[in-house]
Amino acid sequence: MSKRLRNSEVCADCSVPEPRWASVNRGVLICDECCGVHRSLGRHSSQVRHLTHTPWAPTQLQMVQTLYNNGANSIWEHCLLDPMMSGKRKANPQDKVHPNKTEFIKAKYQMLAFVHRMPCRDDDSFTAKDLSKQLHSSVRTGNLETCLRLLSLGAQANFFDPEKGNTPLHVAAKAGQVSQAELLTVYGADPGAPDSNAKTPINYARQAGYHDLADRLVEIQYELTDRLAFYLCGRKPNHKNGQHFIVPQMADRNISLDLSELAKAAKKKLQSLSNHLFEELAMDVFDEVDRRETDAVWLATQNHSTLVTETTVVPFLPVNPEYSSTRNQGRQKLARFNAHEFATLVIDILSDSKRRQLGNSMISPKENVELILKSRSGGEGLDNDQPDYDSVASDEDTDKEPPSGKDRTKSLDSDLSDGPVTVQEFLEVKNALSASEAKIQQLMKVNSNLSDELRLMQKKASKLDKQSSMPDSDYDNTTNDYEMKDSGRRGRLRSSGWLGEGSSIPELDDLGAEPDPALPSTEDVIRKTEQITKNIQELLRAAQENKHDSFIPCSERIYVAVTEMAALFPKRPHSEMVRGPLRLLTSSSFRLQGECRKAAPPEEGPGPDMQLVTQQVIQCAYDIAKAAKQLVTITTKENSN
């Protein structure tokens, strides 16, 4: 390892001398205490490696060294350079790990609170596209920190430029920019992605004479299976000689025989997974291998007599907010596998990776996309249309034929519960989702279900308009048909989290109140509810991306939409069924404005607890969506009478 890197001065987060760890994707060096916090954030936030006790690819170490020496830390602390702008201070060596260092590191890397933001535009997708195009131009040079800055702002490492017909990794490989290629692959660039001429970055590196770079890209392409094999047997395949897989065997034959039937059933289940789901499972196992190996290095390098125990514990994979709650639960369950169970799972994945890759290569050379063998951080499987782990049936699903043959008949939650190693059925699922994250997920589902409900209500309203011209018998049949469909839909809403235990949302057949002649039309209520839903979704995105400065304008748009919807109803409705949701709608909108104003930075003094503010904002938005849903249901029922 470079002497210059080893003798670096201070930790990037708290300035402790002689840091011994590196965050690969952030390009910084960190001390033992700060490393414990980085590990608790998860690999999606920070990929940590020990400088001396972890094996490094020389070119990757060189990439980290270049970023560190060129001041990559200033990217993540841009606003801290001017204390008058940020109102924050950097952690120091005397600060406690909890809460001081922890809160600072989360704000720095998880919320990106100190990163310099680009000027806001109305079209966020255009901004990301523009940044990605800048990345295309930058990777042909050796200016690594510029590319890291673009990636921190949202540039996509796998962005396919339709004008140039390639990705940034194609450009870097053709130019022989080794460090740029390392940085791009850390952020998810795929070495096997074809350009418009069906050539991969590996092809361009070889054609340009950069054979070492081409060999390194092949290693990165097989990084997942190489890491799993090395974890079990300490060896890696020789890719130069055409050996791309090592599948170790279990040493304990007696245990293998005892579990032979279970193993057969588990392998059959694993083989029945779609390519997309298999890739996700393999990536989760990769993350668990990284957690276990890093934990072993961590424990071997600590001074246990002085180090606070709680700073060392990462008992299971941290929650990744981009994954479903079901997938996060399955990832956490991996930590409960004992050595034999986990080794069996790893071997099964290696075996099936080889089977799938060889089977796919027999189809067509042009279609030989490497499964599971991509860069660890990104890329999607072949079956991009496959559902996520926690897919929820939609109303349209009831009209489709049930899946047959090798199609999945259960959710992957049950697949993971008795999955590749079925002996872990007894293991408990540890739920580490925080209250705010759970609320965000719940409200996102609420908005999705509400949109589906609105579309169905619109269809229902249009059919009800035609019923006046129907014979009485046809009208009765149509009404019965709607009642059956509404009953099934309510059951699905309960199962998907819209209606919880003891919910007081009125059912269509429970509204026995006297009709209110002044109620607005269903179409008008639906139209206003759609506007409210759209604004709530914008607020949720701002909450997820920690864009707290967007809270106030989002709340003002929601308030306007709520006011317009409330104006449709009489000031004094006859029915309490209408008065209750209207009160909840308007009061929650008023409370939302107050909570969002708390997110504004104060002119002086300490800032607000943003986590608490975000939780309150999400709760208000949830109440607004709930009330809007009730009003749509009520007006639909009353106007159909």
Side-chain angles (χ1 to χ4, degrees):
M1 189 183 66
S2 167
K3 181 178 180 181
R4 183 180 183 184
L5 181 58
R6 186 171 58 244
N7 292 335
S8 47
E9 296 179 358
V10 295
C11 168
D13 298 331
C14 71
S15 302
V16 166
E18 299 182 5
R20 300 191 294 174
W21 295 81
S23 175
V24 180
N25 57 322
R26 305 296 183 175
V28 297
L29 304 185
I30 51 181
C31 67
D32 289 358
E33 285 189 344
C34 291
C35 176
V37 182
H38 277 251
R39 293 179 59 215
S40 70
L41 301 182
R43 280 179 53 84
H44 55 279
S45 290
S46 184
Q47 301 173 23
V48 299
R49 298 173 72 86
H50 197 277
L51 292 175
T52 56
H53 288 72
T54 302
W56 285 78
T59 51
Q60 188 179 68
L61 181 62
Q62 179 63 40
M63 181 266 292
V64 174
Q65 175 180 345
T66 302
L67 284 173
Y68 176 80
N69 290 337
N70 291 341
N73 195 41
S74 63
I75 296 174
W76 314 112
E77 295 183 355
H78 178 87
C79 295
L80 289 180
L81 300 178
D82 185 358
M84 299 299 295
M85 290 179 57
S86 67
K88 302 284 185 180
R89 72 167 181 85
K90 186 184 178 82
N92 60 53
Q94 290 74 36
D95 283 336
K96 295 181 179 180
V97 176
H98 301 293
N100 304 82
K101 292 184 179 180
T102 300
E103 290 182 354
F104 173 75
I105 291 171
K106 286 183 176 180
K108 180 178 176 180
Y109 299 109
Q110 205 170 51
M111 302 178 184
L112 301 180
F114 315 123
V115 172
H116 177 63
R117 304 289 182 180
M118 296 288 284
C120 296
R121 303 187 184 183
D122 294 335
D123 188 353
D124 291 338
S125 62
F126 176 75
T127 301
K129 181 178 180 181
D130 187 48
L131 290 169
S132 300
K133 286 188 174 183
Q134 291 184 42
L135 185 65
H136 263 82
S137 303
S138 300
V139 294
R140 67 178 71 254
T141 71
N143 196 338
L144 274 180
E145 58 273 19
T146 297
C147 294
L148 181 60
R149 188 180 302 276
L150 291 170
L151 290 166
S152 72
L153 293 172
Q156 301 299 306
N158 251 336
F159 176 75
F160 185 89
D161 191 330
E163 298 176 2
K164 298 179 180 179
N166 58 16
T167 69
L169 189 55
H170 286 90
V171 178
K174 191 174 182 178
Q177 292 292 342
V178 178
S179 292
Q180 294 283 21
E182 288 284 356
L183 179 62
L184 289 170
T185 53
V186 165
Y187 274 84
D190 180 7
D195 65 357
S196 56
N197 297 318
K199 292 184 178 180
T200 68
I202 299 172
N203 297 142
Y204 280 110
R206 293 204 188 282
Q207 290 177 3
Y210 302 112
H211 297 290
D212 289 342
L213 173 57
D215 292 339
R216 172 61 182 152
L217 290 176
V218 172
E219 291 180 1
I220 293 172
Q221 192 174 29
Y222 287 89
E223 180 183 11
L224 191 149
T225 48
D226 285 2
R227 180 76 177 272
L228 298 187
F230 190 82
Y231 172 75
L232 292 181
C233 64
R235 295 188 296 117
K236 292 184 179 180
N238 189 334
H239 298 291
K240 292 183 179 180
N241 294 338
Q243 180 192 23
H244 298 309
F245 294 94
I246 292 179
V247 182
Q249 300 296 319
M250 294 299 296
D252 194 334
R253 297 292 183 183
N254 294 328
I255 297 180
S256 297
L257 290 174
D258 292 340
L259 295 178
S260 59
E261 292 302 320
L262 294 176
K264 289 179 181 178
K267 288 181 180 179
K268 186 176 181 180
K269 184 185 295 291
L270 193 69
Q271 292 171 2
S272 67
L273 291 179
S274 67
N275 288 330
H276 177 65
L277 293 177
F278 177 76
E279 180 176 4
E280 288 187 345
L281 177 59
M283 291 195 301
D284 294 344
V285 172
F286 178 99
D287 286 348
E288 176 63 14
V289 166
D290 182 81
R291 186 194 69 83
R292 294 187 181 207
E293 289 189 330
T294 305
D295 208 43
V297 173
W298 175 275
L299 293 174
T301 57
Q302 300 310 303
N303 182 353
H304 299 284
S305 62
T306 60
L307 194 63
V308 180
T309 304
E310 64 181 70
T311 67
T312 70
V313 175
V314 183
F316 47 78
L317 289 175
V319 171
N320 186 335
E322 296 182 1
Y323 296 161
S324 69
S325 58
T326 309
R327 183 176 179 184
N328 275 311
Q329 290 169 356
R331 285 163 56 86
Q332 292 165 4
K333 188 183 296 184
L334 294 173
R336 302 294 300 275
F337 286 28
N338 61 36
H340 176 80
E341 292 167 351
F342 190 64
T344 304
L345 174 57
V346 171
I347 291 173
D348 286 349
I349 287 179
L350 286 171
S351 300
D352 212 52
S353 296
K354 182 177 182 179
R355 179 188 67 82
R356 290 172 187 249
Q357 208 254 321
L358 294 178
N360 192 59
S361 64
M362 294 171 64
I363 298 174
S364 168
K366 291 184 179 180
E367 298 177 356
N368 183 16
V369 181
E370 306 286 2
L371 300 176
I372 315 305
L373 314 175
K374 302 175 181 178
S375 168
R376 264 297 301 122
S377 302
E380 296 180 352
L382 293 178
D383 298 337
N384 292 329
D385 57 343
Q386 291 292 332
D388 201 354
Y389 280 7
D390 60 346
S391 57
V392 178
S394 64
D395 291 287
E396 289 76 7
D397 291 338
T398 60
D399 300 325
K400 296 180 181 178
E401 292 290 333
S404 60
K406 295 184 178 179
D407 292 345
R408 295 176 65 214
T409 59
K410 296 188 292 184
S411 70
L412 194 63
D413 188 28
S414 60
D415 283 346
L416 280 177
S417 296
D418 52 8
V421 182
T422 56
V423 293
Q424 81 273 13
E425 290 178 321
F426 65 95
L427 298 179
E428 299 176 352
V429 176
K430 298 197 68 174
N431 186 355
L433 293 175
S434 66
S436 60
E437 289 170 336
K439 276 292 183 183
I440 288 178
Q441 294 294 332
Q442 184 181 17
L443 189 50
M444 293 296 276
K445 289 182 179 180
V446 164
N447 276 279
S448 176
N449 288 327
L450 182 55
S451 298
D452 292 340
E453 283 290 288
L454 290 174
R455 288 193 294 270
L456 290 167
M457 292 293 185
Q458 286 175 323
K459 292 180 182 178
K460 180 176 179 179
S462 64
K463 288 194 176 183
L464 288 174
D465 290 339
K466 300 177 182 178
Q467 289 173 354
S468 59
S469 61
M470 290 184 180
D472 289 344
S473 60
D474 291 342
Y475 183 87
D476 291 340
N477 291 337
T478 302
T479 304
N480 291 336
D481 181 59
Y482 269 115
E483 288 174 352
M484 293 176 64
K485 289 184 178 179
D486 284 338
S487 176
R489 182 161 61 249
R490 290 196 297 271
R492 285 193 297 277
L493 289 176
R494 288 192 186 92
S495 66
S496 61
W498 172 261
L499 300 178
E501 293 295 330
S503 174
S504 60
I505 296 179
E507 305 272 352
L508 294 183
D509 51 2
D510 291 336
L511 299 178
E514 184 177 342
D516 194 327
L519 286 182
S521 68
T522 304
E523 291 82 1
D524 290 339
V525 176
I526 288 175
R527 185 165 56 252
K528 295 301 181 183
T529 302
E530 287 177 333
Q531 185 61 45
I532 292 173
T533 303
K534 178 181 177 182
N535 293 330
I536 287 176
Q537 289 172 340
E538 293 176 356
L539 179 63
L540 283 177
R541 283 194 293 269
Q544 288 182 311
E545 298 169 4
N546 297 297
K547 296 181 179 179
H548 302 128
D549 54 346
S550 300
F551 279 12
I552 293 179
C554 284
S555 68
E556 290 174 349
R557 287 191 289 270
I558 293 174
Y559 181 81
V560 171
V562 166
T563 303
E564 292 175 352
M565 182 171 178
L568 298 175
F569 291 83
K571 291 184 178 180
R572 293 180 177 84
H574 295 170
S575 172
E576 177 61 29
M577 287 286 191
V578 178
R579 289 197 298 270
L582 273 176
R583 282 196 299 267
L584 179 62
L585 184 74
T586 54
S587 63
S588 299
S589 174
F590 184 81
R591 283 197 304 115
L592 177 65
Q593 283 194 305
E595 293 296 338
C596 288
R597 291 192 187 101
K598 295 179 182 178
E603 295 182 359
E604 59 183 19
D609 183 347
M610 292 311 302
Q611 184 176 4
L612 179 60
V613 171
T614 302
Q615 289 176 354
Q616 295 299 322
V617 166
I618 292 170
Q619 181 61 53
C620 293
Y622 177 84
D623 291 339
I624 293 171
K626 176 181 175 181
K629 160 69 178 178
Q630 292 175 343
L631 291 172
V632 170
T633 305
I634 293 168
T635 53
T636 302
K637 173 64 177 180
E638 294 295 345
N639 290 329
S640 65
N641 289 338

